Amino acid sequence: MPVNLPSIDNQSLPPVKGVRLGWAEANIKKPNHKDMLVIEVADGSSVAGVFTQNRFCAAPVHICKQHLQQSQQIKALVINTGNANAGTGEQGTLDAMTTCEQVASQLNIPVNAVLPFSTGVILEHLPMDKLIAGIPDAIGRLTDDAWKDAAWSIMTTDVAPKAYADTCQIDGQAIQITGISKGAGMIHPNMATMLGFVATDAPIAQSLLTSLIKDIADHSFNCISVDGDTSTNDSFIIIATGQANIAPIESKDDPRYKQIYTALLGVSQYLAKAIVRDGEGATKFISVNVQGAQSIEEAKAIGFAIAKSPLVKTAMFASDPNLGRVLAAIGYASRECPSLNDLNVDDISLYFGDVLVAEKGGRAPSYTEQAGQEIMEAAEIDMTVKLNRGQQNTTIWSCDFSYDYVKINAEYRT
């Protein structure tokens, strides 16, 4: 089961004015399974996205990028699970466009106002007859209070749906933020297979939202790793409908920018960490805090070296304080970040919780195996690497590797 991930049935997921959602059982991979979602966006909304940097990115990713550049107004999103439409060549592009055309026709909107998303098995063509048949059902169910059904409808190997909502006060008005995400395996930046959709009724200018989402992603979905594999389909979208009764937020100099940024970041980080908590077969949730780096690039290189190390992750699963594996991962992080070639290991301190494990290039005299064992047995583990060479800090979220990870991925297509 996911590590300390609250059930969305126990959460309030309020509507966001200007957003309606509808789901369908299109039987794309499994019968009697929610596997399609349509999100309708009100006129006047701003929509921005960031996507996988995998060079083998899926056909819908290409189409999303094109439509975000071409369209003056994105008015609908369509998501299917069970099939990634990746590695599908020209036919995959035609299928993604056909999906957009079908949604556009039924909502009476331009084709380039539709963004398509797919997730699931790679190297297989979409079953277009099933997908097309499911679109009217999804559109027929459009309502503003379907966030919980929406979270279920975008899952693949996820054990649990992921959703979260929050509010913030701006100019005396309650601003609503509600979002969903999916992902459990093939999770690693840039981006880390995940989909994320966050909506707010705040009025955020399109140009500002385009830059804001990149920063949000870098501090949320680009700070997680389950297995070190970057997917072909990763997509993260923020929708700002502008339905809240406040003046538009148009620049970072606006004092209200920090308020909406902080609220959007909080929801996005929750959804990103929920993916790690539901990592395929995960039994431990791990936070890797890297402090005192010369740059964010250095901090992330060390954080991810630890987070994606199979030896570290299997030790975590076994609750085995074989913490020399963490030191080894720190030591080879320079492969990804050459500025670490002059890293002085004698300056580094490693903590698990508040227990000092290593310092001055070796085991801390105060450290005991018993203290390490107690920490490793917890479901949530915090480690801190103090580099003492600069002022930059970051946190990477990861999980362990269990027997179930191999089983889930060995049986993924069956």
Side-chain angles (χ1 to χ4, degrees):
M1 294 298 294
V3 183
N4 295 336
L5 179 63
S7 167
I8 66 169
D9 291 333
N10 298 325
Q11 297 185 48
S12 174
L13 299 173
V16 174
K17 293 178 183 178
V19 174
R20 296 200 303 160
L21 310 98
W23 58 271
E25 294 180 355
N27 301 316
I28 291 172
K29 185 179 179 183
K30 299 177 182 178
N32 305 314
H33 176 79
K34 293 184 179 74
D35 57 6
M36 175 173 286
L37 176 68
V38 171
I39 303 176
E40 183 186 51
V41 182
D43 290 345
S45 301
S46 299
V47 179
V50 290
F51 303 91
T52 181
Q53 295 183 30
N54 190 314
R55 294 296 298 164
F56 232 117
C57 65
V61 171
H62 287 295
I63 301 300
C64 277
K65 291 179 178 180
Q66 291 173 13
H67 287 187
L68 282 167
Q69 290 178 345
Q70 296 170 356
S71 179
Q72 297 298 312
Q73 172 75 70
I74 298 300
K75 295 187 176 182
L77 289 65
V78 55
I79 305 104
N80 75 268
T81 70
N83 186 303
N85 194 10
T88 48
E90 183 179 358
Q91 185 61 50
T93 300
L94 293 173
D95 289 343
M97 282 302 300
T98 297
T99 304
C100 293
E101 290 165 359
Q102 291 290 320
V103 172
S105 175
Q106 295 183 46
L107 291 177
N108 194 27
I109 58 177
V111 173
N112 63 7
V114 181
L115 301 182
F117 305 85
S118 297
T119 180
V121 178
I122 298 170
L123 213 64
E124 294 183 7
H125 292 293
L126 285 170
M128 290 304 293
D129 55 339
K130 296 179 180 179
L131 193 148
I132 291 172
I135 290 173
D137 289 344
I139 291 176
R141 288 191 176 96
L142 284 171
T143 180
D144 64 0
D145 62 354
W147 284 99
K148 290 181 181 179
D149 287 323
W152 280 100
S153 68
I154 63 173
M155 293 167 52
T156 50
T157 60
D158 309 57
V159 172
K162 301 160 185 67
Y164 192 65
D166 198 6
T167 59
C168 66
Q169 293 289 324
I170 299 180
D171 293 344
Q173 297 291 318
I175 302 301
Q176 182 63 46
I177 303 168
T178 304
I180 57 176
S181 66
K182 64 81 52 179
M186 197 180 277
I187 302 294
H188 189 72
N190 282 305
M191 300 235 316
T193 298
M194 58 85 30
L195 299 175
F197 304 99
V198 174
T200 178
D201 54 7
I204 305 173
Q206 180 65 56
S207 59
L208 181 60
L209 189 65
T210 299
S211 62
L212 178 150
I213 192 174
K214 294 176 182 176
D215 197 23
I216 294 283
D218 281 343
H219 291 87
S220 56
F221 293 103
N222 280 341
C223 286
I224 62 176
S225 183
V226 169
D227 47 23
D229 277 324
T230 298
S231 170
T232 55
N233 293 63
D234 299 331
S235 304
F236 172 43
I237 300 292
I238 295 180
I239 300 165
T241 67
Q243 301 280 312
N245 188 26
I246 62 172
I249 302 170
E250 297 180 334
S251 82
K252 292 183 179 181
D253 295 329
D254 189 319
R256 300 170 300 164
Y257 173 81
K258 185 175 181 180
Q259 292 175 270
I260 191 62
Y261 173 87
T262 301
L264 285 168
L265 178 61
V267 171
S268 300
Q269 285 186 338
Y270 181 96
L271 294 173
K273 288 189 280 187
I275 290 173
V276 174
R277 293 184 183 280
D278 195 18
E280 291 170 338
T283 68
K284 305 284 180 70
F285 178 82
I286 305 162
S287 297
V288 183
N289 308 291
V290 183
Q291 301 176 357
Q294 291 181 351
S295 66
I296 291 296
E297 290 73 20
E298 282 190 357
K300 281 195 170 185
I302 287 176
F304 279 122
I306 296 168
K308 69 180 183 179
S309 164
L311 290 178
V312 172
K313 294 163 81 68
T314 51
M316 297 291 175
F317 172 63
S319 300
D320 175 19
N322 188 353
L323 304 183
R325 294 178 175 183
V326 177
L327 297 184
I330 296 170
Y332 62 63
S334 59
R335 295 186 306 183
E336 301 296 330
C337 185
S339 69
L340 288 168
N341 283 327
D342 66 352
L343 181 67
N344 185 346
V345 298
D346 290 338
D347 291 338
I348 296 174
S349 299
L350 172 65
Y351 289 81
F352 270 59
D354 58 0
V355 175
L356 177 61
V357 174
E359 62 178 346
K360 299 178 182 178
R363 179 172 174 154
S366 59
Y367 174 73
T368 65
E369 186 84 358
Q370 181 180 353
Q373 186 71 57
E374 290 176 358
I375 291 168
M376 294 289 280
E377 288 175 353
E380 302 208 17
I381 298 172
D382 281 7
M383 69 176 79
T384 301
V385 182
K386 296 184 177 182
L387 301 177
N388 298 305
R389 62 192 259 120
Q391 303 300 316
Q392 299 300 315
N393 309 320
T394 199
T395 299
I396 304 300
W397 298 288
S398 188
C399 59
D400 59 342
F401 266 162
S402 70
Y403 306 126
D404 283 344
Y405 179 85
V406 176
K407 179 177 172 58
I408 290 167
N409 283 281
E411 298 175 350
Y412 182 61
R413 297 204 308 156
T414 58

